[in-house]
Structure formats: structure tokens, C-alpha cells
């Protein structure tokens, strides 16, 4: 396996660490709950993080994830390894982890392209697509909307119109794995050394799309429920596969809900139309609620801006503000825990002397 085809660029090569251990660069190609599979130039091993790595890691986001580059040490006489270092990511798609605790979760790392997969059926949701677009811009990768199952849709025009509004300025490709429509257009993005990730809800057709691009039945495929067009979870783990073109493709489990972990700048990029109207508001601090001379409200009255899009923008603004408040408090708490941990270690070392 050539590391360059796996996406190993000078960006990662410059991060090599000089240690007494024999360490090899490898990419996380499978991610399960407590284990990884890593691919190197001459090996494909099962891996776990070392004890030292786990001891010094406080946050889930600092653990390796699918697409990450790591430095590993082979366990003597085994096809297994210890992960000692995580190389700095060049891009990362994250979300708020499920549950009550406010924690950032890595969905895919070191990706060049994010394929936002939406099926052309009743499960198409422009509000959800707006969320995906904001998260994609935040990741540092280029978003591309992939509209699947065109063979099952009598008229794609309304879906395209919604896509152009929800994902303003983002490329989109209409596809069908049954007829082959759009697959060549997708392959133009998947050139040698590039990495793309497929993100979308269950039943959107990600696994079928992966099989079509890999040209094998690498991924298991399930049917959707006929009553509501929603899908069943087929992919239960994250996996990176190599394409015939030399590109890498990451398939991920379906996400019914995407709680964004983003900043204001990415939100503004995803809603350029609203930001554009806001520049013409009478007041610079206009909240677009009831102020006189609000250009955003004026756009809604003229039918130029969909009310639902503005309401989703407000909702995402509240989520971003909530995340910022919570993370600031958690960072202070984590710093206290880190120093407490260091203090305990120092005391234990002192007693052993």
C-alpha cells in the first residue's frame, strides 16, 4: 500500500516524531467502539491506544477517529499495534455527541470532500440539509450534496430547487445506483490521494453508493421502510475503503439528528442569503424579529426568503450560543481536573522515592 494513495501528504510527514520506539505512520481505516484497524505501507493491524495515550487524554475528540493518521508500534510477534500519537488533523467533521453531556464527537477526520447524502423521497428534509451544510463548512472540507435514488423519483425538479436554497453555493449531483446516473460526476471528485466522506441519515443510500463507487459489494445494504421512507441502520461502524481511482471513501452510520458543533462564521457561510439581506437592515444590531426597517423580514414578505429557513437559522444560532457557553465552563473544569491528575502523580512518585 502506497501511503500517498491513502492520503499521507507532507502535512502529516512533517509531524513525524523522533523517539526510541520503532513507530510507523498508519491511517485509521476502521473504527469500532473500543478498537481500530490501521493501514500502513506494509501492514494492516488491529490497534488500541497505549496506556500513556489514554492517561494523558481528557476529551473524546482527542482520541483517534476514522480517517486519522497515527504513529503506531507493533506488538512483538503479533498483527496488532499500540497507538502512541495522533497526528494533527487538517480537517475534521464533528457534531455534539448524543446524550445530555455536551461533548464534541468526531465523525470523520482528514477529509477533502464531504458528500452530504439526501434521498429523493419523503425523507428529504431541507432543514436537515441546512444543518449538514453548516457542519461541513466548519469541518474545513468541501461540501457536495448527493441526491440519491433518482430512479424512484418522478420529478426531481422540486428537490433540486430546495437543494439550491438550503445549500446555497454548494455543488450537487443527482444520482442513481440502479441506472448509474451521476456516478461519473461523483468520480470526478474522487481523484488519487483524495479522501471523501459520505454523511447522511439512515436509508439515504450511502452504503449502496459506496458499493457502486468501489465496484464491489463491500457494504451491506438494507431496504427502507415503505410507510415513512425512513431507513434502518445498516452501517454500524465507520470504515474507510480504497477506490479504483486511488481515492479513499469513508462510509459512516446514518444520523437521524445532527446537533451541530460550530462557530458563527460557519453558520454565516451556510446562510449567505440571510447575511446578505441583514447588511441592508436599518439597525446594525437587528435581530430580525420586530425591528422597523428589517431587510430580512422584508425579503420574507416579498417571497424571496422562506420563513422556515429563517427560523432554522435562529434555532442554529441558539445551539451555537449554547455550545459556546457550555464548552467554556467545561474547559475550565477540565483544566482543574488535569492539574489535579498531575498533582496526584507527582505525590505518588515522591512517596516511591
Amino acid at each position: 500500500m502506497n501511503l500517498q494513495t491513502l492520503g499521507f501528504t507532507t502535512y502529516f510527514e512533517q509531524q513525524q516524531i523522533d523517539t526510541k520506539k520503532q513507530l510507523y505512520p498508519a491511517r485509521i481505516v476502521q473504527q469500532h467502539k473500543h478498537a481500530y484497524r490501521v493501514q500502513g505501507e506494509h501492514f494492516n493491524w488491529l490497534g488500541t491506544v497505549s496506556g500513556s495515550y489514554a492517561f494523558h487524554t481528557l476529551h473524546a475528540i482527542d482520541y483517534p477517529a476514522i480517517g486519522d493518521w497515527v504513529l503506531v508500534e507493533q506488538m512483538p510477534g503479533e498483527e496488532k499495534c499500540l497507538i502512541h500519537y495522533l497526528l494533527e488533523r487538517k480537517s475534521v467533521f464533528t457534531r455534539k455527541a448524543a446524550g445530555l453531556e455536551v461533548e464534541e464527537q468526531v465523525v470523520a477526520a482528514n477529509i477533502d470532500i464531504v458528500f452530504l447524502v439526501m434521498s429523493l423521497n419523503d425523507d428529504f428534509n431541507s432543514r436537515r440539509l441546512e444543518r449538514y451544510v453548516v457542519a461541513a463548512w466548519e469541518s474545513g472540507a468541501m461540501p457536495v450534496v448527493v441526491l440519491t435514488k433518482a430512479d424512484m423519483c418522478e420529478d426531481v425538479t422540486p428537490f433540486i430547487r430546495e437543494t439550491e436554497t438550503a445549500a446555497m453555493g454548494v455543488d450537487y449531483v443527482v444520482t442513481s445506483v440502479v441506472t448509474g446516473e451521476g456516478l461519473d460526476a461523483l468520480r470526478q471528485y474522487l481523484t488519487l490521494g483524495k479522501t471523501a466522506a459520505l454523511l447522511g441519515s439512515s436509508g439515504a443510500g450511502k452504503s449502496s453508493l459506496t458499493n457502486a463507487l468501489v465496484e464491489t459489494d463491500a457494504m451491506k445494504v438494507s431496504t427502507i421502510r415503505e410507510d415513512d421512507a425512513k431507513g434502518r441502520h445498516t452501517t454500524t461502524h465507520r470504515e474507510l475503503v480504497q477506490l479504483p481511482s486511488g481515492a479513499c471513501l469513508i462510509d459512516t452510520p446514518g444520523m437521524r439528528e445532527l446537533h451541530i458543533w460550530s462557530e458563527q462564521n460557519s453558520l454565516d457561510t451556510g446562510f449567505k442569503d440571510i447575511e446578505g439581506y441583514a447588511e441592508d437592515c436599518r439597525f446594525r444590531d437587528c435581530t430580525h424579529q420586530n425591528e422597523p426597517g428589517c431587510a430580512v423580514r422584508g425579503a420574507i414578505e416579498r417571497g424571496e426568503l422562506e420563513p422556515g429557513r429563517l427560523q432554522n437559522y435562529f434555532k442554529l444560532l441558539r445551539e451555537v450560543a449554547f455550545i459556546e457557553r457550555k464548552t467554556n465552563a467545561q474547559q475550565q473544569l477540565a483544566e482543574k481536573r488535569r492539574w489535579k491528575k498531575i498533582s496526584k502523580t507527582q505525590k505518588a512518585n515522591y512517596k516511591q522515592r
Side-chain angles (χ1 to χ4, degrees), residues 321-333:
F322 173 78
I323 292 293
E324 288 179 351
R325 289 196 304 271
K326 284 292 186 179
T327 51
N328 287 337
Q330 287 183 349
Q331 284 170 2
Q332 294 175 4
L333 182 60

Side-chain angles (χ1 to χ4, degrees), residues 47 69 104 116 158 173 216 309:
W69 281 97
E104 189 173 11
L116 306 176
V173 180
T216 66
R309 180 166 169 81

Side-chain angles (χ1 to χ4, degrees), residues 286-298:
C286 183
T287 62
H288 319 309
Q289 300 288 347
N290 300 308
E291 295 91 339
C294 175
V296 175
R297 287 291 172 184

Side-chain angles (χ1 to χ4, degrees), residues 273-282 288 291-307 310:
D273 52 342
I274 294 178
E275 290 303 307
Y277 287 123
E279 291 178 359
D280 295 327
C281 288
R282 181 183 301 177
H288 319 309
E291 295 91 339
C294 175
V296 175
R297 287 291 172 184
I300 289 178
E301 292 172 3
R302 295 190 301 272
E304 298 173 6
L305 180 63
E306 185 186 357
L310 179 61

Side-chain angles (χ1 to χ4, degrees), residues 166-183:
M168 191 166 292
V170 176
D171 290 348
Y172 64 86
V173 180
V174 177
T175 67
S176 167
V177 297
V178 176
T179 65
E181 179 183 357
L183 295 183

Side-chain angles (χ1 to χ4, degrees), residues 191-234:
T191 55
L192 181 68
K194 295 290 185 181
T195 300
L198 292 166
L199 300 170
S201 60
S202 300
K206 299 187 303 299
S207 296
S208 297
L209 205 56
T210 299
N211 289 339
L213 293 170
V214 178
E215 299 176 12
T216 66
D217 291 332
M219 298 294 176
K220 181 182 175 183
V221 176
S222 294
T223 57
I224 62 172
R225 300 197 299 260
E226 293 184 3
D227 56 342
D228 58 5
K230 295 181 185 292
R232 304 173 178 87
H233 285 289
T234 303

